[in-house]
Amino acid sequence: MERTIGLLGGGQLGQMLCEAANPLGIKVVILDAEKSPAKQVNAKNDHIDGSFVDAEKIRELARQVDILTVEIEHVDTVVLEEIAEYGVEVARPDGKKVVKRVEVQPSWKTIRTIQDKFLQKDHLTKNGVQTAVSKAVQSTAEDLQAFGKEMGYPFMLKARKDAYDGRGNYPVKSASDIPGALKALKDRGLYAEKWANFKMELAVMVVKTEDSTSTDGSATVAYPAVETIHEDSICKLVYAPARGVSTKVQREAQELARKAVGSLWGKGVFGVELFLMPDGELMLNEIAPRPHNSGHYTIEACPTFSQYKSQLLSILGLMPSFPDSRIPSMFPATIMLNILGGASKSAHNEIMKHAIAMPRAALHMYGKESKPARKIGHITVVADSMYSGEALMQPLISMTDAMRA
Ligand code: ATP
Ligand code: MG
Ligand code: MG
């Protein structure tokens, strides 16, 4: 492949992106700390050691590549805007400086809108996508009390930026939780969200294939709607497809996710998190402008078209079209279980051995040091029915529960 991709972030999502890039002959250059998971599976010499929030390091990466993309949204979008709009200066062998054009996909505008969760919600509401009612608040007891009075308890207090795996969320169950919430999230820009009493959490991976925003969502392709189960605000399990959900809701979830992604700018793959409410209505929780934990299952379920391959081909402008704008799963049922670091550094050894011995399980370890509650790997089980998949997965779930920190 002629064009080289520069990746901001080299965690497990970047690692699996590189695993998808290798057989396609696509070169990926990574900016992250030395020996980060993505660098471990990509033996190139020109990776950059440094931080994906360091503007000069991002420019250094841009000089080596044709397209910049991200595996994390918490990056410096000011420098991405500068690079996308004006290019980056490179020195020719004779010492003369010239400006090189570099694409940023998805657009810096999309990353900037999404990385501030309140701006993201505002954007979605303006584009006709229903989200939980939310309001920007000051870090004061008065502001939070006023929100509780207006919207009721419980409500969710959220950090606007740098939030992941629930680190940035604080459920405020009653007015007496307010001091604790302010202490936990102090010094961060905040907003408050009305509690969503959902009956299930769904997620849909969406691929955006065109740069222009399209009102009918025709430039987007959806994977199946899956069910996600969170424990302590960290994704634990993914059931694909979502269990006990009608074809109508399955379709509506895909359409809503495509509509939301269609309102954003640029190309790439997006993880869309949804709440399914008791009355059957769907509400959008948040969007990730990159591959997503809820899409790991696609490596096995869509063997010729994982979310990682879609990310690569969409940003390169090589994504083929799919009938009905949908990418089907090859299995009636797929279940993914995250492996989190346990109480001891070797707590996960037993589950690894068990998974390796299962013909229907695929083990993915990320090469990360085990720390309590850190995502260090996952297991995907493929099955002929959800019932048989659940039976295969049950001992593995029991093992992860037993090793919890
Ligand atoms: P991620 O790792 O998905 O990026 P995050 O830190 O950005 O997580 P959210 O997705 O906002 O956090 O919330 C994490 C979880 O908390 C949700 O998946 C859901 O289970 C719960 N949650 C979030 N917002 C609400 C809400 N308004 N009402 C009820 N539960 C909520
Ligand atoms: Mg998030
Ligand atoms: Mg989330």
Side-chain angles (χ1 to χ4, degrees):
M1 214 62 70
E2 281 161 27
R3 295 204 294 164
T4 299
I5 293 172
L7 178 64
L8 275 68
Q12 65 264 26
L13 300 172
Q15 182 179 65
M16 290 180 264
L17 191 78
C18 290
E19 285 167 349
N22 288 339
L24 297 171
I26 296 171
K27 188 177 165 192
V28 181
V29 182
I30 300 147
L31 166 60
D32 205 339
E34 202 187 349
K35 298 198 179 81
S36 57
K39 291 181 186 177
Q40 293 173 26
V41 299
N42 184 335
K44 309 270 180 343
N45 295 324
D46 33 16
H47 294 311
I48 296 171
D49 292 338
S51 165
F52 46 77
V53 293
D54 179 335
E56 198 36 56
K57 290 283 179 182
I58 296 172
R59 285 188 203 101
E60 198 181 323
L61 177 67
R63 283 185 195 106
Q64 294 195 37
V65 303
D66 304 291
I67 308 180
L68 286 177
T69 193
V70 296
E71 65 127 38
I72 181 164
E73 56 276 27
H74 309 302
V75 297
D76 179 345
T77 60
V78 175
V79 69
L80 288 181
E81 176 180 2
E82 168 200 298
I83 292 167
E85 302 302 319
Y86 307 108
V88 65
E89 266 198 346
V90 287
R92 290 196 321 204
D94 63 6
K96 200 167 168 219
K97 289 200 169 147
V98 289
V99 171
K100 181 183 151 209
R101 304 300 305 192
V102 179
E103 248 185 84
V104 176
Q105 295 293 359
S107 161
W108 56 269
K109 260 164 86 176
T110 291
I111 301 170
R112 187 175 295 166
T113 304
I114 282 179
Q115 70 180 191
D116 181 329
K117 287 164 95 172
F118 184 69
L119 275 188
Q120 182 192 144
K121 293 242 150 67
D122 192 46
H123 169 86
L124 290 167
T125 308
K126 284 185 180 134
N127 282 275
V129 175
Q130 198 191 335
T131 64
V133 175
S134 51
K135 204 170 175 179
V137 291
Q138 299 298 319
S139 305
T140 61
E142 298 74 57
D143 247 27
L144 299 193
Q145 274 158 6
F147 187 86
K149 208 167 175 191
E150 191 186 346
M151 300 292 170
Y153 293 95
F155 67 84
M156 190 69 102
L157 186 64
K158 294 194 179 186
R160 291 174 61 144
K161 285 187 159 186
D162 299 317
Y164 70 101
D165 289 345
R167 296 174 208 191
N169 285 3
Y170 198 102
V172 182
K173 298 195 184 78
S174 67
S176 63
D177 280 347
I178 288 174
L182 287 172
K183 197 167 165 221
L185 299 177
K186 66 171 183 298
D187 305 330
R188 295 174 78 166
L190 302 177
Y191 77 101
E193 229 177 77
K194 196 172 154 88
W195 195 260
N197 230 339
F198 52 80
K199 68 171 176 187
M200 191 185 275
E201 287 193 81
L202 301 177
V204 182
M205 293 307 306
V206 175
V207 193
K208 194 162 183 304
T209 59
E210 279 174 26
D211 207 352
S212 58
T213 51
S214 69
T215 46
D216 64 354
S218 61
T220 54
V221 185
Y223 283 92
V226 302
E227 172 184 354
T228 61
I229 295 187
H230 291 77
E231 212 169 78
D232 298 332
S233 283
I234 302 182
C235 175
K236 177 179 185 181
L237 281 156
V238 171
Y239 292 86
R243 295 173 300 176
V245 158
S246 66
T247 313
K248 181 171 168 274
V249 170
Q250 175 66 243
R251 289 267 156 150
E252 283 171 0
Q254 289 178 309
E255 291 318 311
L256 183 64
R258 287 179 61 212
K259 179 179 175 182
V261 170
S263 76
L264 296 164
W265 305 270
K267 297 180 275 196
V269 77
F270 296 77
V272 183
E273 300 176 9
L274 305 165
F275 295 142
L276 176 60
M277 304 307 284
D279 61 0
E281 282 295 299
L282 288 163
M283 227 159 53
L284 202 139
N285 174 27
E286 61 163 349
I287 303 182
R290 51 165 170 82
H292 193 252
N293 197 170
S294 70
H296 291 350
Y297 79 95
T298 60
I299 297 174
E300 285 78 22
C302 313
T304 59
F305 246 93
S306 73
Q307 62 165 343
Y308 301 100
K309 184 169 170 183
S310 289
Q311 166 77 346
L312 294 164
L313 296 193
S314 58
I315 65 172
L316 287 166
L318 299 173
M319 187 77 185
S321 56
F322 282 81
D324 209 12
S325 293
R326 286 184 175 85
I327 302 181
S329 167
M330 301 296 277
F331 293 94
T334 313
I335 308 174
M336 189 240 36
L337 171 70
N338 274 334
I339 303 175
L340 305 183
S344 78
K345 289 237 186 278
S346 57
H348 52 278
N349 286 354
E350 196 197 341
I351 194 169
M352 285 173 64
K353 268 192 233 150
H354 193 96
I356 287 169
M358 287 173 65
R360 288 213 163 230
L363 175 68
H364 297 258
M365 294 304 295
Y366 308 146
K368 284 162 78 171
E369 192 195 338
S370 174
K371 287 185 189 160
R374 185 182 204 199
K375 288 175 181 166
I376 56 170
H378 76 264
I379 300 164
T380 301
V381 163
V382 292
D384 300 325
S385 71
M386 196 49 91
Y387 183 76
S388 62
E390 282 171 337
L392 287 171
M393 197 47 115
Q394 192 48 54
L396 296 166
I397 296 174
S398 302
M399 279 182 225
T400 50
D401 289 344
M403 66 180 251
R404 273 185 67 157

